[in-house]
Amino acid sequence: MKQPVTELDTRFSDQNAVATDWEETRRLLEEAELFWISTVRADGRPHVTPLVAVWLDGAVHFATGAGEQKAVNLRTNQNVILTTGCNEWERGLDIVVEGEAVQVTDERVLERLAEAWATKWDGRWQYEVRDGGFRHEGGSGAVLVFSVSPAKGARVRQGHVRPDPAPVLG
């Protein structure tokens, strides 16, 4: 995978701001516990909801039930934005990943992802791979798994960038 280039759009930045390097951004994506996903309903209205995700092989991966609103939305529009970070103005780093959510069905990849979820969450998220998706122990339905490779990303160092940053190619 080609390493994303981080750039700073000086039109929206404090004069002392510097672009966050990709290694720091990637590390924070790996460590993030909570992401917010933005999808678009068939009628054009937005939908935003929190979720847990894992970073593996250059992409953010998330899981959802087939009947959940985000899965319903992805049937007609696969474009998503995933955000993670801090809700404090003066410190922290917020990350926005923009891309296309692609369903993962390859069982070898799903096995690696199930292991990544279990490892990251100290066993709290246990998935079984079956029929091109995940199943929860004792769960009743299939859990769909999606991958989002960064197409664009905005990295915002709190306190150094104005509140409306421009996207940076990821």
Side-chain angles (χ1 to χ4, degrees):
M1 178 186 134
K2 181 181 168 190
Q3 179 172 308
V5 175
T6 58
E7 297 175 349
L8 190 67
D9 188 330
T10 57
R11 296 174 302 165
F12 303 104
S13 303
D14 182 276
Q15 65 183 8
N16 297 320
V18 295
T20 302
D21 69 47
W22 175 246
E23 285 305 311
E24 181 181 0
T25 303
R26 182 196 48 75
R27 181 184 60 76
L28 292 167
L29 287 168
E30 288 175 354
E31 295 173 357
E33 291 186 3
L34 184 66
F35 289 79
W36 290 83
I37 186 169
S38 300
T39 59
V40 180
R41 299 172 199 261
D43 66 5
R45 292 180 299 129
H47 175 258
V48 178
T49 190
L51 53 74
V52 297
V54 296
W55 175 265
L56 183 70
D57 296 338
V60 178
H61 298 82
F62 66 91
T64 183
E68 292 185 40
Q69 188 64 55
K70 59 189 163 294
V72 171
N73 296 348
L74 290 172
R75 289 184 197 128
T76 57
N77 186 340
Q78 293 76 41
N79 295 298
V80 301
I81 294 177
L82 291 156
T83 59
T84 189
C86 177
N87 66 353
E88 296 181 37
W89 181 255
E90 292 296 326
R91 64 186 181 108
L93 180 71
D94 295 326
I95 303 171
V96 178
V97 174
E98 181 177 331
E100 183 178 332
V102 178
Q103 188 172 352
V104 178
T105 58
D106 180 297
E107 296 213 354
R108 291 182 309 232
V109 175
L110 290 168
E111 291 286 351
R112 292 179 56 231
L113 286 167
E115 183 178 322
W117 252 283
T119 300
K120 180 175 181 176
W121 291 95
D122 298 324
R124 289 178 281 170
W125 287 87
Q126 293 287 329
Y127 289 117
E128 175 187 325
V129 175
R130 191 167 71 208
D131 301 325
F134 284 166
R135 301 269 181 184
H136 279 292
E137 186 177 306
S140 60
V143 177
L144 307 176
V145 181
F146 291 89
S147 173
V148 180
S149 296
K152 289 185 177 181
R155 293 99 170 105
V156 182
R157 173 135 334 259
Q158 298 280 339
H160 296 287
V161 179
R162 286 185 247 165
D164 53 348
V168 177
L169 290 179

